[in-house]
Amino acid sequence: MKIILVDENEETCKILKEVAQLSQSDVLCFSSFAEAASYLAQNPDVDAVIFERQIKGVVVDEFLTKTTDIDIPKILLTSATIKAEEAKALEDKGVDKIVPKPFNPLEVLTDVVELLKEKRGEEYIKERLHTVNADRSALKKALQKLIEFFKKLFSR
């Protein structure tokens, strides 16, 4: 799978990339909505987009407007509390799921798979996910990095 992440936090990008690699998926990181929208317009093989609500003072609304016709899962990561009315407005603009920070990267990637399954079907998922012979040392390394990531999040 190919997933776009729009987030200013390099640690978020790093950890999502490492977890995605377990399924031979790729996370492409962008630090602006404009760059991500441009990439999406030129690359129809993207399976999902995960993003913050605001990047460098720019709110996600314009990005959602530009990507309305692209039917892929769109997941919002946020540390802010989202009220029901705001959640409904974001849903109307194309957000499929709102995930509060701090988040579990494995759960976010599972959400991507579930949303893709709903939108495109199980066969699409089977085609996009590569069968991997599990390398226990790579899995152990990824889990250690996840633990380090969570420790950093909770020590702030």
Side-chain angles (χ1 to χ4, degrees), residues 97-114:
K97 182 151 186 151
I98 298 170
V99 177
K101 283 187 168 185
F103 63 93
N104 179 332
L106 291 171
E107 287 181 17
V108 170
L109 294 173
T110 300
D111 290 340
V112 167
V113 171
E114 288 301 315

Side-chain angles (χ1 to χ4, degrees), residues 65-120:
T65 301
K66 287 181 181 179
T67 60
T68 301
D69 59 334
I70 301 171
D71 189 26
I72 59 175
K74 296 175 183 130
I75 299 175
L76 173 70
L77 303 176
T78 184
S79 54
T81 302
I82 304 281
K83 295 180 182 176
E85 308 85 47
E86 292 174 286
K88 176 68 174 129
L90 287 164
E91 182 183 310
D92 291 345
K93 293 177 183 175
V95 174
D96 294 295
K97 182 151 186 151
I98 298 170
V99 177
K101 283 187 168 185
F103 63 93
N104 179 332
L106 291 171
E107 287 181 17
V108 170
L109 294 173
T110 300
D111 290 340
V112 167
V113 171
E114 288 301 315
L115 289 165
L116 262 176
K117 188 175 175 182
E118 288 174 21
K119 289 178 179 280
R120 304 236 173 121

Side-chain angles (χ1 to χ4, degrees), residues 13-88:
C13 178
K14 186 177 175 184
I15 196 69
L16 277 176
K17 274 184 173 231
E18 290 180 12
V19 172
Q21 286 176 349
L22 295 173
S23 67
Q24 294 184 345
S25 295
D26 194 20
V27 174
L28 306 169
C29 300
F30 295 92
S31 58
S32 84
F33 292 120
E35 291 173 1
S38 176
Y39 184 88
L40 268 171
Q42 297 172 19
N43 297 279
D45 63 337
V46 172
D47 295 300
V49 64
I50 302 168
F51 48 87
E52 273 279 354
R53 187 163 190 189
Q54 185 171 323
I55 305 285
K56 298 178 185 170
V58 177
V59 180
V60 73
D61 293 355
E62 185 178 333
F63 174 75
L64 291 172
T65 301
K66 287 181 181 179
T67 60
T68 301
D69 59 334
I70 301 171
D71 189 26
I72 59 175
K74 296 175 183 130
I75 299 175
L76 173 70
L77 303 176
T78 184
S79 54
T81 302
I82 304 281
K83 295 180 182 176
E85 308 85 47
E86 292 174 286
K88 176 68 174 129

